Amino acid sequence: MTTETVWLSDSQQQVWRRWLRVHRELSAALGRDLQQHSELSMPDFEALVHLTDVPEGRLRISALATAMDWERSRLSHHIKRMEARGLVSREGCLEDGRGAFVAITPTGRAAIEQAAPAHVREVRRLFVDALSDEELDELGRITGKLLTRLGG
Amino acid sequence: MTTETVWLSDSQQQVWRRWLRVHRELSAALGRDLQQHSELSMPDFEALVHLTDVPEGRLRISALATAMDWERSRLSHHIKRMEARGLVSREGCLEDGRGAFVAITPTGRAAIEQAAPAHVREVRRLFVDALSDEELDELGRITGKLLTRLGG
DNA sequence: TAAGATTGAACTATCAATCTTG
DNA sequence: CAAGATTGATAGTTCAATCTTA
């Protein structure tokens, strides 16, 4: 393959590296804050958000995996650990004998309700409120384009 | 603390979730591509980039940790694994007996030179070229603001 | 045979010591 | 004691089987 390789210009490289860096620092800051104010990690929080998003408080495991964009095996291991901590429980599926549900427990609900306010404030402080409404819109448009490129 | 909690609006939440998702999918896609075309992971690649960035091809370990924004212990473990694969070597430091250098080896140089073209093309395809020049500028400005908020 | 889910092994990351030199 | 770096234990992730039911 003799496709010519064009390296990135300085400004392109700067945006690219900054993008990586912002994400790394933002995730780290939010994770630290969350663990300081609760017993939850970011993945724990995310999983519980999806479970509280539905009225029954439970989802098919593969549906949760899709929603979180995780591999099933990773989620399976994670659910096992969360189950051991009492945050969720596993339930069988009547319609499909192969399937299973994860359900949020009262303990899990209490944990996310306790953790959410501080976490949301921090997401506001470090992300939403750091930008003007126009910038946030623009960022939504830009990430939308990136997502389209990724998806197909 | 009775600070009132204000949850995110739908559009704010959408941008926030999309930001997380784009990063996750982009990293995954680049990682897959890199491993398909080379023996390097993204962290391997990043470390080697920093080492090739300097003329001597070697850096103090703590300097590399700062550049990569990694904890020293994580880098130490990672260097050990990369050293075992022959990509880098460790060297003592004359000026400061406590310190140490990591240096890229010929093998490491060959690996990154072989991997870089395809990786850069993929970064272009999925990121740089997916946006107009104006959008890339705007994204640079926006991530700059986020970085300021994180740092200060 | 394929789909939903789990398991175990190998790999990577994190956290709290530890070791050595300044 | 503080700074540079490493180590070991624990936690989390990935990959390739495996098991069960459709």
Side-chain angles (χ1 to χ4, degrees):
Chain A
M1 232 217 278
T2 37
T3 312
E4 196 176 343
T5 301
V6 186
W7 183 237
L8 306 181
S9 72
D10 284 356
S11 65
Q12 290 171 335
Q13 192 171 158
Q14 198 188 345
V15 177
W16 171 237
R17 287 194 178 184
R18 195 182 276 170
W19 161 276
L20 293 175
R21 181 158 169 228
V22 168
H23 187 270
R24 197 168 45 231
E25 292 193 18
L26 188 50
S27 300
L30 289 173
R32 270 195 308 275
D33 181 76
L34 191 58
Q35 294 210 292
Q36 204 157 19
H37 294 285
S38 74
E39 298 292 318
L40 302 177
S41 67
M42 292 269 281
D44 296 337
F45 190 90
E46 235 193 294
L48 294 179
V49 164
H50 285 290
L51 292 175
T52 52
D53 265 359
V54 291
E56 323 83 52
R58 56 180 225 158
L59 284 170
R60 285 291 295 265
I61 289 183
S62 57
L64 180 55
T66 301
M68 296 180 71
D69 192 24
W70 275 25
E71 300 204 348
R72 274 202 305 285
S73 83
R74 177 180 178 187
L75 183 57
S76 183
H77 284 301
H78 200 80
I79 286 173
K80 194 197 303 168
R81 292 187 296 261
M82 289 181 77
E83 191 174 29
R85 294 157 61 206
L87 299 169
V88 298
S89 63
R90 268 187 258 229
E91 303 173 358
C93 179
L94 296 176
E95 309 121 43
D96 187 334
R98 298 169 303 182
F101 284 96
V102 222
I104 188 169
T105 62
T107 302
R109 227 174 254 284
I112 192 169
E113 281 170 3
Q114 187 265 316
H119 183 60
V120 172
R121 272 199 295 279
E122 202 64 357
V123 172
R124 279 198 170 283
R125 187 175 76 80
L126 296 176
F127 188 80
V128 175
D129 292 349
L131 304 174
S132 70
D133 290 353
E134 292 72 31
E135 289 167 336
L136 203 62
D137 279 357
E138 185 65 12
L139 185 55
R141 271 203 341 96
I142 290 173
T143 49
K145 283 186 81 168
L146 293 173
L147 208 52
T148 302
R149 178 63 63 105
L150 283 160
Chain B
M1 230 217 278
T2 38
T3 310
E4 196 175 342
T5 301
V6 185
W7 182 238
L8 305 181
S9 71
D10 283 356
S11 65
Q12 291 171 335
Q13 194 171 154
Q14 198 189 344
V15 178
W16 171 236
R17 287 194 177 185
R18 195 181 278 172
W19 161 276
L20 293 175
R21 183 161 165 225
V22 168
H23 187 272
R24 196 168 47 232
E25 293 193 16
L26 189 49
S27 300
L30 289 173
R32 268 195 309 274
D33 181 76
L34 190 57
Q35 294 211 292
Q36 205 157 18
H37 294 285
S38 75
E39 297 293 317
L40 303 177
S41 66
M42 291 270 279
D44 296 336
F45 189 89
E46 238 193 292
L48 294 179
V49 164
H50 286 289
L51 292 175
T52 51
D53 265 358
V54 292
E56 321 84 53
R58 54 180 227 160
L59 284 170
R60 286 292 294 266
I61 288 183
S62 57
L64 181 55
T66 302
M68 295 181 71
D69 192 25
W70 276 24
E71 302 206 346
R72 273 199 307 284
S73 83
R74 179 180 177 187
L75 183 56
S76 183
H77 284 301
H78 201 79
I79 286 173
K80 194 195 305 168
R81 292 187 295 259
M82 288 181 78
E83 191 174 28
R85 293 158 60 208
L87 299 168
V88 298
S89 63
R90 268 186 259 230
E91 303 173 358
C93 179
L94 295 175
E95 309 121 41
D96 187 335
R98 299 169 300 184
F101 284 96
V102 222
I104 188 169
T105 62
T107 302
R109 227 175 255 285
I112 190 168
E113 282 170 3
Q114 187 266 316
H119 184 61
V120 171
R121 270 199 295 279
E122 202 65 358
V123 171
R124 279 200 171 283
R125 188 175 75 81
L126 295 177
F127 188 79
V128 175
D129 293 347
L131 305 174
S132 69
D133 290 354
E134 293 72 31
E135 288 167 337
L136 203 63
D137 280 359
E138 184 65 15
L139 184 55
R141 274 204 338 96
I142 289 174
T143 48
K145 282 187 83 168
L146 293 172
L147 208 53
T148 303
R149 178 63 63 102
L150 283 161

